[in-house]
Amino acid sequence: MPSYYFEPPYLIVNFKTYSPEGVGKKAYELAKILEKAANEYGVTIIPVPANIDLTKIIEEINLPIFAQHADPFEQGSYTGFQPIMPLKEIGVTGTLLNHSEHPIGFTKLEKTLDLLNREKIMACVCAASPLLSKAAASLEPWAVAMEPPELIGGDVSVTTQPEIVKETVRLVDEVTKETLVLCGAGVKTDEHVKGALDLGTLGVLLASGVVKAANQEEVVQKMAKAMVEWKEKNN
Ligand code: G3P
C-alpha cells in the first residue's frame, strides 16, 4: 500500500515545459504545493513534470509521479527519446501518452502500451474526441483523457461542452469497464473540476490553470476541496 492516496477522483497536473513556472526550482515548489494539498485533503494528485525534472521530483515528492511521454523502446541508443526501462529505473508510476502536443498514432501507442504493461507502468492516453477516446480505450490503458485540442491552454473549459464529456464516458464504458475516463482542456477552477466529476468522469488532466496561476497554491487547494466534496457525496 503506497503511503500516498491513489483512489478516484484524480487531479493530474501536467507541468508541460512552461518556463519558468513549471521547470527546475519552480517545478519542485509546485510539486510541494501539490503534495501538501494531497495530504491535507486526502486526495489523489499526480504531478507530471517535464523530463528534465522527473528524477528530482520522484526522489523528493511523496506522490505518484507520471512522465509526459514514453517511447516504444526498451533502452539503449535512442538519443533524445524516452524509452521505457529508464523510466522504470527512476521510479515513475505512470506516463501520459499521445498528448495533442506529442501525438504518436495507434501503432506506436499499442506497442508502447505493451511495454508499459509489462513493466507495470500506468498509462493515461490522451485523445482529442469521444470517438478517439473509444479507440484508445480498446487497448485498455489505465485511463483515457479526452481533450479537445482547440481548448487546450485557453480559457474555455471542456466542461462547457458537457455533451462531448458524457459521450466519452458512454463510449469508453461500452468498450471496457477497466479504463477510467478523465477530461481536460481549459480546466482552470474548482467549479470546472466539480463539473467534470458531475459529468461522470473520474478526474481531470490540466496544466495552465495550475502551472500558470498567479497563486498556484490557492487554486490547487480549492480543487482538492472540490474533490473531497465529490468523494463525500459519492461514498
Ligand atoms: O495536459 C493537459 C493539457 O493539455 C490541458 O492544458 O492548459 O488547457 O489545462 P490546459
Side-chain angles (χ1 to χ4, degrees), residues 219-235:
V219 175
V220 171
Q221 293 269 327
K222 283 187 180 165
M223 289 179 172
K225 193 158 173 271
M227 291 161 76
V228 173
E229 286 165 5
W230 180 87
K231 266 168 87 165
E232 286 169 356
K233 209 170 78 186
N234 288 276
N235 277 337

Side-chain angles (χ1 to χ4, degrees), residues 37-194:
N39 288 331
E40 270 179 29
Y41 289 92
V43 292
T44 308
I45 302 184
I46 303 174
V48 189
N51 301 346
I52 48 171
D53 294 310
L54 262 178
T55 304
K56 180 174 168 67
I57 304 270
I58 288 169
E59 281 170 358
E60 311 232 352
I61 303 293
N62 188 30
L63 290 178
I65 310 294
F66 277 25
Q68 294 182 3
H69 171 74
D71 285 302
F73 320 118
E74 298 207 357
Q75 56 82 38
S77 311
Y78 296 106
T79 305
F81 287 89
Q82 186 133 277
I84 308 296
M85 297 316 286
L87 289 175
K88 168 97 174 172
E89 184 65 30
I90 64 169
V92 298
T93 301
T95 183
L96 303 183
L97 279 183
N98 196 46
H99 193 281
S100 282
E101 293 149 14
H102 201 147
I104 58 174
F106 202 79
T107 309
K108 265 193 192 164
L109 179 60
E110 203 168 4
K111 179 146 189 244
T112 314
L113 282 172
D114 279 349
L115 289 169
L116 291 169
N117 282 339
R118 193 192 71 192
E119 298 307 325
K120 300 195 171 22
I121 298 173
M122 304 168 83
C124 172
V125 178
C126 302
S129 68
L131 272 178
L132 289 170
S133 303
K134 180 181 178 177
S138 69
L139 300 173
E140 298 201 327
W142 168 67
V144 168
M146 194 279 290
E147 299 197 314
E150 67 280 8
L151 300 184
I152 291 178
D155 288 325
V156 177
S157 169
V158 64
T159 53
T160 61
Q161 300 184 13
E163 61 295 338
I164 58 169
V165 179
K166 285 199 257 179
E167 179 72 346
T168 305
V169 174
R170 191 182 68 74
L171 289 176
V172 170
D173 207 50
E174 249 173 47
V175 179
T176 175
K177 307 280 179 231
E178 301 301 318
T179 296
L180 314 179
V181 180
L182 314 174
C183 67
V187 173
K188 291 211 152 45
T189 68
D190 50 330
E191 280 302 312
H192 297 158
V193 172
K194 185 177 175 301

Side-chain angles (χ1 to χ4, degrees), residues 14 16 99 147 151-153 185-186 205-208:
N14 182 1
K16 300 202 174 181
H99 193 281
E147 299 197 314
L151 300 184
I152 291 178
L205 168 62
L206 60 77
S208 54

